[in-house]
């Protein structure tokens, strides 16, 4: 089982095992393992998503649908059960703006994390021509992934679900139906942040609304436009959902910040891999993921990070 995934060294002096592989075979592999979105609606281009990346995993797609349904329920419960019955005043309008801001930002962050290429290594590039282009010196080797037939960069790992090698792969998240890697870690971190803020805000609104209505014995018209029993059920479900996903996303956001600040991905921490790269400082790590310099765009999922500070030479190992 491990033999199929074992990295195989390729030296320029060694015989190229892929020299006799027909170009049609490589082309077939690329067509089979390219996670492409049809972009039939054109919505991704309007959001600045140029990769057209979409992992066609049934389990991941189901998780994405569940995620959007949960977000829709939170929007329905907060708006139609809690805020709209109060009427349009300073309190309700301000709470509507805040909650809907978190919802929109969470949705955009999720969409960008799901449909951005996480850092997939080009398929079928482990050829003699590519090795010659690298200009390898004596004492340097590169590694080939037998699944992707590609030159495997340092700190890259093969994902069996995406069926690609991903640069700086942290983990594969079914809730965004994508790997979290070099190119989309910012969007995943923002998604967990805004979902956590949504959850905390929803819990505070639900608890406040329930306590005030119980004290008023549900006699105040602003408590609900439906029966007190139905309102109570909606509030309990909203509170349970918000508490569960609030705790989960706070933990995930914390682990992402820790991985960024320590310059170690989740897989590297799990496997306790020794650092073969020069680790970035906390400041450089944050800038490498969220962009440089530090600005309000760090919290904007539509803003693409301009650069990767301290990016390593990904195609070479020194041995």
């Amino acid at each position: 089982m491990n033999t199929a995934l074992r990295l195989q060294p390729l030296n320029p002096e060694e015989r190229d095992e892929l020299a006799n592989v027909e170009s049609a075979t490589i082309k077939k592999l690329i067509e089979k393992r390219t996670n492409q979105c049809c972009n039939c609606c054109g919505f991704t281009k309007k959001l600045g998503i140029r990769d057209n990346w979409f992992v066609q995993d049934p389990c991941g797609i189901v998780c994405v649908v569940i995620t959007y349904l949960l977000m829709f329920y939170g929007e329905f419960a907060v708006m139609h059960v809690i805020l709209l019955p109060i009427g349009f005043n300073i309190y309700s309008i301000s709470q509507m703006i805040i909650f809907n801001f978190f919802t929109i930002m969470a949705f955009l962050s999720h969409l960008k994390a799901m449909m951005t290429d996480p850092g997939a290594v080009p398929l079928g590039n482990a050829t003699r021509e590519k090795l010659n282009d690298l200009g390898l010196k004596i004492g340097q080797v590169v590694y080939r992934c037998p699944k992707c037939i590609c030159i495997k960069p340092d700190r890259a790992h093969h994902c069996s679900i995406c069926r690609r090698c991903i640069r700086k792969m942290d983990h594969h998240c079914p809730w965004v139906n994508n790997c979290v890697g070099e190119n989309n870690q910012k969007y995943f971190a923002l998604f967990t942040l805004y979902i956590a803020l949504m959850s905390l805000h929803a819990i505070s609104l639900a608890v406040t609304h329930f306590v005030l209505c119980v004290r008023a014995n549900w006699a105040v018209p602003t408590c609900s436009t439906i029966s007190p029993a139905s309102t109570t059920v909606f509030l309990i479900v909203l509170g349970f959902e918000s508490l569960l996903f609030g705790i989960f996303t706070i933990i995930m956001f914390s682990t992402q910040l820790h991985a960024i600040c320590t310059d170690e991905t989740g897989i590297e921490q799990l496997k306790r891999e020794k650092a073969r790269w020069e680790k970035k400082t906390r400041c450089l790590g944050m800038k490498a993921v969220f962009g440089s310099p530090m600005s309000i765009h760090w919290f904007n999922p539509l803003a693409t990070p301009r650069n990767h500070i301290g990016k390593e030479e990904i195609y070479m190992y020194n041995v």
Side-chain angles (χ1 to χ4, degrees):
M1 181 181 299
N2 295 328
T3 303
L5 295 176
R6 188 180 60 214
L7 303 183
Q8 302 179 17
L10 292 176
N11 274 311
E13 295 81 5
E14 294 177 350
R15 177 179 178 270
D16 189 359
E17 296 179 359
L18 298 177
N20 297 325
V21 177
E22 297 180 358
S23 59
T25 305
I26 300 293
K27 183 178 180 181
K28 183 178 180 180
L29 173 69
I30 294 176
E31 292 176 351
K32 182 179 179 181
R33 298 195 176 188
T34 299
N35 299 308
Q36 289 288 331
C37 170
C38 63
N39 198 25
C40 56
C41 61
F43 183 62
T44 55
K45 287 186 177 180
K46 295 179 181 179
L47 294 177
I49 303 176
R50 302 176 181 177
D51 297 332
N52 295 332
W53 175 274
F54 184 76
V55 180
Q56 300 173 8
D57 174 45
C59 179
I61 295 174
V62 170
C63 290
V64 169
V65 173
I66 293 175
T67 300
Y68 289 151
L69 289 177
L70 292 173
M71 292 176 63
F72 174 78
Y73 175 80
E75 178 75 14
F76 166 79
V78 169
M79 293 295 296
H80 292 273
V81 178
I82 299 176
L83 296 179
L84 288 180
I86 298 176
F88 293 95
N89 51 41
I90 296 178
Y91 171 77
S92 62
I93 293 176
S94 62
Q95 298 302 318
M96 288 179 188
I97 293 174
I98 295 173
F99 186 80
N100 281 285
F101 172 78
F102 290 154
T103 303
I104 292 172
M105 297 299 279
F107 173 75
L108 293 176
S109 300
H110 183 277
L111 200 63
K112 289 278 284 187
M114 178 176 63
M115 304 196 72
T116 297
D117 183 347
V121 181
L123 290 168
N125 66 351
T127 60
R128 172 64 61 186
E129 291 76 15
K130 181 62 179 178
L131 289 174
N132 293 334
D133 293 340
L134 291 178
L136 297 178
K137 301 178 182 179
I138 298 177
Q140 292 180 325
V141 295
V142 294
Y143 289 83
R144 173 173 63 88
C145 174
K147 291 288 186 179
C148 299
I149 314 181
C150 67
I151 299 175
K152 187 153 187 172
D154 195 6
R155 304 188 70 184
H157 294 84
H158 184 86
C159 176
S160 59
I161 300 177
C162 294
R163 298 178 298 176
R164 299 287 293 273
C165 285
I166 308 297
R167 295 191 300 270
K168 291 185 67 176
M169 176 180 169
D170 187 85
H171 69 286
H172 184 94
C173 178
W175 298 106
V176 297
N177 189 33
N178 201 359
C179 278
V180 178
E182 185 178 65
N183 295 340
N184 68 341
Q185 189 173 24
K186 169 189 175 179
Y187 310 124
F188 179 77
L190 290 181
F191 170 67
T192 58
L193 172 64
Y194 286 120
I195 288 294
L197 293 176
M198 273 184 65
S199 302
L200 295 176
H201 192 205
I203 290 176
S204 65
L205 290 175
V207 172
T208 301
H209 190 76
F210 181 77
V211 171
L212 293 177
C213 290
V214 169
R215 288 181 177 178
N217 201 22
W218 299 94
V220 181
T222 57
C223 283
S224 179
T225 55
I226 56 179
S227 65
S230 299
T231 302
T232 302
V233 172
F234 280 123
L235 293 179
I236 291 176
V237 175
L238 175 64
F240 178 78
E241 174 193 345
S242 301
L243 180 63
L244 179 64
F245 284 94
I247 295 175
F248 176 73
T249 51
I250 288 174
I251 294 174
M252 290 302 300
F253 180 68
S254 301
T255 58
Q256 288 301 300
L257 285 184
H258 180 265
I260 293 171
C261 292
T262 59
D263 195 17
E264 284 186 347
T265 66
I267 292 180
E268 291 166 351
Q269 294 176 14
L270 184 64
K271 292 184 176 181
R272 298 181 179 180
E273 296 182 1
K274 294 183 179 180
R276 299 179 299 270
W277 61 94
E278 183 179 354
K279 285 193 174 183
K280 305 181 185 69
T281 62
R282 295 179 181 178
C283 181
L284 290 179
M286 294 291 289
K287 290 180 179 180
V289 173
F290 293 96
S292 179
M294 179 180 179
S295 67
I296 192 65
H297 293 297
W298 279 22
F299 302 96
N300 181 11
L302 297 180
T304 303
R306 293 183 179 180
N307 59 343
H308 294 282
I309 303 297
K311 194 170 182 179
E312 58 271 7
E313 295 291 332
I314 62 175
Y315 285 108
M316 294 187 180
Y317 285 103
N318 293 325
V319 296

